[in-house]
Amino acid sequence: MNTISAEWTKVWSVRSTWWSLLAGVLMMAATAGQLAIYAANANTNDDPADNPGIVTVGSVVIGSVGLTQYAVLALGLLVITSEFTSGTIRTTLQCTPSRGRVLLAKAAVTGAVTFGLGLFLGTVGAAVAGPVLGRWGTAPASGTVGDVLAVATYLALVSVLALGLGAALRSAVLALTVLVATLMIVPLSLQEPDIAVLNRIADAFPGVAGGHFLAGDTDPYPAPVGLLLLAGWAGAALLLGRAALRRRDA
């Protein structure tokens, strides 16, 4: 508990955390507002083929995660990479020599903070999207709450994934490059030829699995499988980070 308490204090004592929170809120509000405007305009233009009909506020919030997640990923990365940059990781490991314990404490704090942030961001997105959609939107209580919880869960897991990669690679820029490639570039490249076997491989990547979870899909697998795949990637990243911390000096 002392290790978790120390990590909690460190997270809230640096400005990068607050900048990440602010960036996340602004990105969610802007993206949710933009998507809601698109939906409303598509229903009122002269092309009936564009009409999406009545859309849920929760679907707009989920659609906004693709861009907003990068502010949360930055928070997950900086929790560990900033310590390598400043050299404070040496003090951290002197106080708690167990690399695994340190990384687990960071993961627990990062996951808790980003889950709470995800709840707040989902609420902000819903609050922005509802009035903009107007008569073209609906916000059933249970569905909206479920979507916000799903967003918070997704963001918590991808932030832990970012933390693990940050611990393994030690560089925020390098880890962010790998994250963008893993979450978006590689699966999109696999899906582009529209070949069944490549599509199945892409479906196993964390960003795609998380998307299936958020959308509540049943194909190519149920939403809970998408959640398990994403959690598996986060766990694998932590194991990779732990191995790197144990193998190399701080």
Side-chain angles (χ1 to χ4, degrees):
M1 290 301 295
N2 288 337
T3 307
I4 291 178
S5 177
E7 293 300 330
W8 181 269
T9 300
K10 279 191 285 187
V11 163
W12 294 111
S13 63
V14 294
R15 283 179 292 182
S16 60
T17 297
W18 297 100
W19 282 116
S20 297
L21 296 178
L22 177 60
V25 170
L26 293 177
M27 291 168 71
M28 173 57 80
T31 307
Q34 186 178 42
L35 292 179
I37 289 172
Y38 287 162
N41 287 346
N43 277 312
T44 55
N45 65 20
D46 295 330
D47 186 357
D50 287 346
N51 292 359
I54 304 296
V55 299
T56 64
V57 167
S59 68
V60 174
V61 172
I62 288 173
S64 304
V65 171
L67 181 61
T68 306
Q69 67 178 332
Y70 290 101
V72 181
L73 291 175
L75 193 157
L77 285 174
L78 291 173
V79 165
I80 184 72
T81 56
S82 61
E83 289 207 49
F84 286 118
T85 301
S86 64
T88 55
I89 189 68
R90 298 186 184 92
T91 303
T92 297
L93 295 177
Q94 285 173 352
C95 295
T96 309
S98 171
R99 266 65 169 168
R101 189 173 161 194
V102 167
L103 195 57
L104 282 176
K106 288 183 178 294
V109 170
T110 301
V113 169
T114 51
F115 182 82
L117 173 60
L119 293 177
F120 182 66
L121 291 178
T123 303
V124 168
V128 170
V132 176
L133 286 170
R135 64 192 179 95
W136 301 111
T138 182
S142 60
T144 304
V145 170
D147 289 335
V148 170
L149 285 171
V151 165
T153 301
Y154 172 83
L155 291 177
L157 287 173
V158 293
S159 72
V160 173
L161 171 62
L163 172 71
L165 286 178
L169 301 174
R170 301 192 175 201
S171 164
V173 174
L174 179 58
L176 183 59
T177 301
V178 172
L179 273 171
V180 172
T182 303
L183 291 171
M184 183 174 64
I185 297 175
V186 174
L188 284 177
S189 299
L190 290 170
Q191 291 169 336
E192 185 63 28
D194 197 22
I195 299 173
V197 65
L198 296 181
N199 288 337
R200 297 292 78 79
I201 294 172
D203 285 329
F205 274 70
V208 179
H212 289 312
F213 163 65
L214 289 172
D217 289 339
T218 56
D219 183 57
Y221 43 68
V225 175
L227 176 61
L228 289 175
L229 283 171
L230 179 57
W233 277 88
L238 285 179
L239 290 174
L240 185 64
R242 180 177 179 271
L245 280 174
R246 294 187 64 174
R247 188 172 63 251
R248 296 179 295 186
D249 291 334

